[in-house]
Amino acid sequence: MSSKPKTPSSGADQRQARLAAELRANLMKRKAQARSRRTGEADTRPEGLAASEGETEKPEKA
């Protein structure tokens, strides 16, 4: 193994390497955000919308 990291030679290779590094950094940031949101307390909201009382039938179309 060589101790030297590979460096892109052309401008296009350099751009692609830079974009890949930015993408990895963004992915790590988004994963950290998702982990921090998961550590909170569980959501206690009921699922969906609660039905109004007394309205069990759909209104007729005119």
Side-chain angles (χ1 to χ4, degrees):
M1 290 186 144
S2 67
S3 60
K4 242 180 165 183
K6 293 183 181 181
T7 55
S9 55
S10 72
D13 288 340
Q14 290 176 348
R15 179 177 184 270
Q16 201 160 17
R18 186 186 77 245
L19 290 175
E22 289 176 12
L23 185 63
R24 282 191 300 274
N26 187 29
L27 181 61
M28 288 173 36
K29 178 181 171 183
R30 289 176 59 198
K31 283 185 175 184
Q33 286 175 340
R35 280 192 297 270
S36 71
R37 289 183 185 130
R38 279 197 314 250
T39 59
E41 202 171 300
D43 194 2
T44 58
R45 293 180 295 176
E47 292 297 317
L49 297 173
S52 299
E53 289 191 29
E55 283 190 37
T56 56
E57 295 179 19
K58 294 182 181 178
E60 292 180 21
K61 291 185 179 179

